[in-house]
Amino acid sequence: MAERIRGQVEHITFINEENGYSVIRVKSPGYRNPIQAVGNFVQITPGEVLEMEGSWAVHARFGKQFKVDQYETVAPAGAEAIRKYLGSGLIKGIGPVMATRIVNHFGEHSLEIIDKEVERLREVEGIGRYRLNQIRKAWEDQKEIRDLMVFLRSHGVSAALAMKIFKHYGKDSVGIVKENPFRLAMDVSGIGFLTADKIAVSLGYHPDSPLRAEAGILFVLQEATDSGHACVPEGRLMENSQKLLQIPPPTLRTALNQLAEDRRVILEVLPVELHPDFGDKTAVYLRGYHLAETQVARRLLHLQAFQALQNKGDLEKALIRLKEVIPLQLAPLQEEAVKKALTEKVVLITGGPGTGKTTLVRAILTVYRQMGGRVCLAAPTGRAAKRLNEATGHPASTVHRLLEFSPQVGGFQRNEQRPLDADLIIVDETSMLDLLLTHHLLKAVPTHATLVLVGDADQLPSVGPGNVLSDMIHSQKFPVVRLTEIFRQARQSRIIINAHRIQQGQFPWLKRDTEDLQDFYFIEKDDPEAALQIVVKLCTSRIPTRFGLDPVEDIQVLSPMHRGVLGTQNLNEVLQGALNPQTQFIQRGGQIFKLNDKVMQIRNNYDKDVFNGDLGRIRKIDGENQEMQVEIDGRIVAYDFSELDELTLAYAVSVHKAQGSEYPAVVIPLVMQHYMMLQRNLFYTAITRARKLVVIVGSRKALGVAIRSNQLQRRHTLLRQRLQGLLR
């Protein structure tokens, strides 16, 4: 028989952000000790009073529990209950201290004052106009969020996702979700089509609904771009959409045609000669990516058509002056690259570690400086830009900052109307440039300037869609300088020697010739659990002790995968426990963030001026203002608690996320559990992230599989064909 219990929430022991399942401790007048209640709750906080209905059960491990079937929130009664409720962090602007002041002043009428006479809070010491407005908005939002959550939870949406929806749509959330739940998949970060589809089904949408068909096709296309494709063969798109949606092909065809008519997708019919290679006669693009690809091709060819500013007389004088300024003797290929940078409009320079790319960039910079040329240096990531600045002595920035992205105005402020003030633009780590960023970069390159793109074509391609550097090289439309010679000083590094051996498909040199410290080690462990223990010891004691490196700042674990014993998720949890003893924390989305944790930004946030792959340290967790402060590149960036899904722990990161970065020491677990991701370019990229030390922990078999696997995943892109004039 169902029993009813009323009590105040004292403590939340556990909460699953995805489904709201919680374990809470409740103080009830009828019981001497707090009772343990379990069930699915909607955004409860300590201090709330709950009227619960359910039954008692005995858990084998946790003992007697009250299993809640349904409940309702009751306004807390009594000054102490209200103080605890207000001090729980529920309302931004009110923490434990301010809650005590409010209750001391208004007593049992505190909640009524906040709800109906909020201006009277100015009577409380420490509440000025700004804090008053903050409290007013938070209180109103809480009421709106409660209504939204009750509605969404009845349709299977988690509390965490409900918060995201409210943040995006505000007070219109319920109306928008009812009108078109599929908008969620397109508008709200973290909500995919599958979640939106479940809500739609719950709201009574028919499986063959045109809205559902259109949203499903867009979802399949977006998934393809998330995997690096700029477009998808029409047949494959229809096949994958059919598998996802289970609706008749004619309905899908109608939906695709409607999307094309609305210009949300672009259907491009290809010339017959391209059908065999592409695999279909029609390519389907999301509109933005079609625009980017066609404009990248057009602007590159347009730029190449202009003659370089310098003439050949300047060239000979410039090379003579260069040899006087730079004491290093340039290798023939390096000298050729300098000449091309003075006579060509677009130059591609590619080479592995130790082949002199940085020396070459310095030489080109020096020549242009001597001639009074204006120079811009950039790289896709902050770390790569900082490294470029240190190597050349010339200011360097991220491409986003070079193009002056403005969240206030919206978009990049450098474009065709306001191009960069430069005669030479050098971009490093260009294997990371995706289609969209390249599009915006080229819009800002003036026609009189020379563009030099420097990168390592053997590394992983960009995380974003496209394969820009590779497509440009294979188009054979631009001069390419391939640096292959490993310079003498670089030959002393086993990291560099082994990186080149791996790139050539050879097993790395693992033999130890001496007991002296080296820069490349392999520790053989076939068992993943044993390998995990070695990784932890390496990070916590062995590397810091022998090499004098900081275990958090200087050592980076790079894993091929996210899941598994040696995936980034488990590694981060284990390394957090081993490296960070802090007890102050915040839990969001199943992830615990502690004070001083090492974290990574996992998507571009132009408002905060932080980008995918930026690393930081948590410096403050402020429960009163529901804010976490993270130090990134020497500055403090504030995150609202609702924005913490933009961050992830970064003691271990995926190799893809490490692109463009370098670390003093890299630890790479490599076992057969990683089989699906064991690829040569991924392993090569991981090795080349290290400056001083590489330690591989794993099996020789996995090492061999990674080196032999050189079948690169095909990316659907037609940039090369456009550059070659086979497409407009």
Side-chain angles (χ1 to χ4, degrees):
M1 184 176 176
E3 185 175 340
R4 295 183 69 86
I5 295 177
R6 174 184 285 217
Q8 185 174 35
V9 180
E10 279 210 331
H11 180 70
I12 299 173
T13 307
F14 169 81
I15 183 167
N16 183 327
E17 297 281 354
E18 293 304 311
N19 58 23
Y21 179 81
S22 307
V23 179
I24 61 176
R25 197 166 65 232
V26 178
K27 189 174 182 180
S28 177
Y31 298 86
R32 179 183 300 178
N33 298 315
I35 66 173
Q36 186 171 244
V38 298
N40 294 84
F41 297 91
V42 177
Q43 203 190 16
I44 56 168
T45 58
E48 283 189 280
V49 176
L50 305 180
E51 186 82 42
M52 302 176 293
E53 185 175 298
S55 57
W56 289 98
V58 178
H59 190 280
R61 181 177 174 189
F62 300 110
K64 194 174 182 182
Q65 296 178 328
F66 187 68
K67 298 182 72 173
V68 179
D69 298 322
Q70 56 185 3
Y71 76 97
E72 59 183 37
T73 303
V74 182
E80 179 58 24
I82 293 171
R83 183 197 63 74
K84 189 166 187 177
Y85 176 68
L86 289 176
S88 66
L90 173 73
I91 303 167
K92 186 180 288 190
I94 301 179
V97 173
M98 190 56 66
T100 299
R101 291 180 188 174
I102 291 171
V103 173
N104 285 347
H105 190 79
F106 296 113
E108 295 184 2
H109 301 291
S110 297
L111 296 181
E112 186 179 349
I113 293 293
I114 295 172
D115 193 39
K116 297 177 180 176
E117 299 179 77
V118 69
E119 288 287 340
R120 288 193 59 193
L121 288 180
R122 293 289 300 275
E123 299 170 17
V124 178
E125 180 190 353
I127 298 183
R129 176 58 57 187
Y130 174 80
R131 191 186 288 254
L132 176 70
N133 290 334
Q134 190 181 32
I135 294 169
R136 177 194 283 118
K137 184 177 185 307
W139 183 260
E140 291 173 354
D141 284 353
Q142 280 300 319
K143 290 194 287 186
E144 294 283 346
I145 290 170
R146 288 291 175 125
D147 292 342
L148 174 66
M149 283 190 171
V150 169
F151 166 71
L152 289 176
R153 289 299 287 277
S154 68
H155 297 291
V157 180
S158 73
L161 291 183
M163 286 291 291
K164 278 176 166 286
I165 293 168
F166 180 80
K167 189 174 180 183
H168 191 87
Y169 297 126
K171 296 179 180 180
D172 299 325
S173 298
V174 172
I176 288 171
V177 172
K178 284 181 177 178
E179 181 186 349
N180 182 1
F182 298 107
R183 278 187 60 179
L184 297 172
M186 293 170 267
D187 295 346
V188 184
S189 171
I191 297 183
F193 172 80
L194 298 179
T195 300
D197 198 30
K198 286 180 182 176
I199 298 171
V201 170
S202 180
L203 287 169
Y205 275 77
H206 194 277
D208 293 355
S209 158
L211 275 178
R212 181 172 184 262
E214 291 174 19
I217 290 171
L218 290 174
F219 170 72
V220 172
L221 265 177
Q222 187 60 61
E223 273 204 322
T225 60
D226 290 345
S227 298
H229 302 290
C231 57
V232 179
E234 183 183 28
R236 181 172 298 178
L237 174 65
M238 290 292 97
E239 181 184 337
N240 291 342
S241 299
Q242 170 70 33
K243 286 179 181 176
L244 172 72
L245 299 170
Q246 297 294 305
I247 59 180
T251 305
L252 284 177
R253 170 56 56 189
T254 301
L256 181 62
N257 290 339
Q258 186 61 52
L259 289 169
E261 187 177 323
D262 296 341
R263 301 287 292 173
R264 296 168 75 185
V265 304
I266 303 296
L267 305 180
E268 184 164 13
V269 179
L270 307 182
V272 175
E273 60 268 27
L274 296 184
H275 294 182
D277 183 50
F278 187 70
D280 207 323
K281 64 180 182 180
T282 305
V284 187
Y285 288 82
L286 289 170
R287 181 183 177 185
Y289 294 114
H290 185 265
L291 174 67
E293 190 175 89
T294 54
Q295 289 299 302
V296 165
R298 188 184 72 79
R299 291 181 186 281
L300 281 170
L301 295 174
H302 181 70
L303 181 62
Q304 191 190 37
F306 283 80
Q307 288 188 345
L309 187 64
Q310 296 77 29
N311 57 48
K312 291 188 178 179
D314 295 328
L315 174 62
E316 298 306 321
K317 292 178 184 176
L319 289 173
I320 292 171
R321 287 198 298 269
L322 174 64
K323 291 174 182 177
E324 294 171 353
V325 175
I326 294 186
L328 297 174
Q329 178 69 37
L330 292 180
L333 280 176
Q334 289 177 315
E335 190 166 311
E336 177 193 343
V338 174
K339 290 178 181 178
K340 289 187 184 301
L342 289 165
T343 56
E344 303 281 355
K345 295 297 293 179
V346 180
V347 181
L348 308 177
I349 298 170
T350 181
T355 56
K357 294 194 298 294
T358 302
T359 299
L360 178 52
V361 169
R362 285 174 50 209
I364 295 171
L365 267 174
T366 302
V367 170
Y368 269 82
R369 279 172 168 171
Q370 288 177 339
M371 300 173 71
R374 297 159 298 173
V375 178
C376 286
L377 289 187
T381 67
R383 285 186 164 228
K386 184 178 180 182
R387 198 167 65 247
L388 188 59
N389 165 242
E390 292 169 349
T392 62
H394 190 281
S397 70
T398 63
V399 177
H400 290 88
R401 293 191 181 106
L402 178 70
L403 301 180
E404 298 176 15
F405 185 87
S406 171
Q408 291 77 28
V409 179
F412 293 101
Q413 302 309 294
R414 291 288 185 175
N415 47 42
E416 55 268 68
Q417 281 78 42
R418 187 169 169 259
L420 294 166
D421 186 21
D423 302 303
L424 171 70
I425 299 165
I426 300 178
V427 183
D428 197 11
E429 295 283 0
T430 50
S431 63
M432 294 184 66
L433 281 182
D434 64 25
L435 200 53
L436 292 182
L437 191 54
T438 306
H439 168 54
H440 289 294
L441 171 66
L442 291 172
K443 285 171 68 175
V445 175
T447 52
H448 68 264
T450 293
L451 178 64
V452 177
L453 301 178
V454 184
D456 186 345
D458 294 314
Q459 286 188 21
L460 290 168
S462 59
V463 174
N467 204 357
V468 176
L469 179 61
S470 178
D471 282 345
M472 288 181 68
I473 291 172
H474 289 105
S475 74
Q476 299 182 335
K477 285 291 183 179
F478 311 100
V480 179
V481 179
R482 298 179 185 272
L483 302 175
T484 55
E485 180 186 351
I486 304 176
F487 286 89
R488 185 177 61 189
Q489 60 271 30
R491 291 191 205 121
Q492 309 304 311
S493 167
R494 285 200 179 184
I495 295 175
I496 291 174
I497 294 296
N498 282 334
H500 284 272
R501 289 177 64 87
I502 290 165
Q503 187 271 326
Q504 293 161 13
Q506 300 174 17
F507 214 77
W509 187 20
L510 302 177
K511 185 180 178 181
R512 291 191 61 180
D513 300 326
T514 172
E515 289 304 311
D516 294 338
L517 292 181
Q518 298 178 8
D519 65 358
F520 196 100
Y521 294 88
F522 173 67
I523 300 174
E524 189 166 6
K525 289 290 175 186
D526 293 336
D527 177 60
E529 291 287 354
L532 174 65
Q533 298 308 313
I534 293 293
V535 169
V536 172
K537 287 178 182 177
L538 286 166
C539 295
T540 56
S541 59
R542 290 172 63 171
I543 292 176
T545 300
R546 296 197 68 191
F547 293 88
L549 297 175
D550 184 276
V552 178
E553 294 291 338
D554 296 334
I555 303 171
Q556 186 61 60
V557 179
L558 300 181
S559 175
M561 295 183 73
H562 294 291
R563 300 190 182 279
V565 174
L566 289 167
T568 58
Q569 293 175 0
N570 188 58
L571 281 164
N572 271 315
E573 186 176 326
V574 174
L575 288 169
Q576 181 191 50
L579 292 170
N580 189 2
Q582 290 287 337
T583 55
Q584 187 181 358
F585 70 91
I586 175 77
Q587 183 171 356
R588 280 296 182 273
Q591 185 162 245
I592 294 174
F593 294 106
K594 292 183 180 181
L595 192 66
N596 291 334
D597 265 341
K598 183 179 183 179
V599 292
M600 174 181 277
Q601 176 78 16
I602 57 174
R603 66 176 64 104
N604 291 341
N605 186 320
Y606 299 107
D607 293 332
K608 298 183 187 299
D609 197 27
V610 290
F611 303 100
N612 194 351
D614 284 353
L615 288 175
R617 299 287 295 275
I618 297 172
R619 297 306 185 196
K620 186 177 182 181
I621 298 174
D622 184 348
E624 179 171 321
N625 291 303
Q626 297 179 22
E627 181 182 274
M628 192 164 83
Q629 294 182 1
V630 182
E631 183 180 356
I632 299 175
D633 288 336
R635 65 189 181 91
I636 295 295
V637 180
Y639 291 82
D640 188 271
F641 282 176
S642 65
E643 299 173 317
L644 296 186
D645 63 325
E646 294 188 13
L647 295 171
T648 187
L649 292 176
Y651 299 100
V653 302
S654 70
V655 180
H656 285 85
K657 288 291 186 186
Q659 282 178 269
S661 296
E662 274 191 359
Y663 314 95
V666 163
V667 177
I668 307 168
L670 207 68
V671 294
M672 290 306 293
Q673 268 191 353
H674 298 143
Y675 183 79
M676 294 298 295
M677 296 298 293
L678 294 179
Q679 292 287 330
R680 185 187 300 173
N681 63 347
L682 183 137
F683 188 32
Y684 172 80
T685 301
I687 296 295
T688 54
R689 299 309 88 208
R691 285 200 304 271
K692 299 178 181 178
L693 177 66
V694 168
V695 183
I696 302 165
V697 182
S699 71
R700 287 180 180 270
K701 184 177 180 181
L703 208 60
V705 170
I707 294 165
R708 289 191 299 272
S709 300
N710 200 33
Q711 297 298 314
L712 302 182
Q713 182 188 6
R714 165 85 180 274
R715 286 194 170 192
H716 290 296
T717 161
L718 292 166
L719 177 60
R720 174 177 61 83
Q721 291 85 344
R722 295 186 198 283
L723 291 170
Q724 291 171 331
L726 301 175
L727 280 172
R728 287 189 296 113

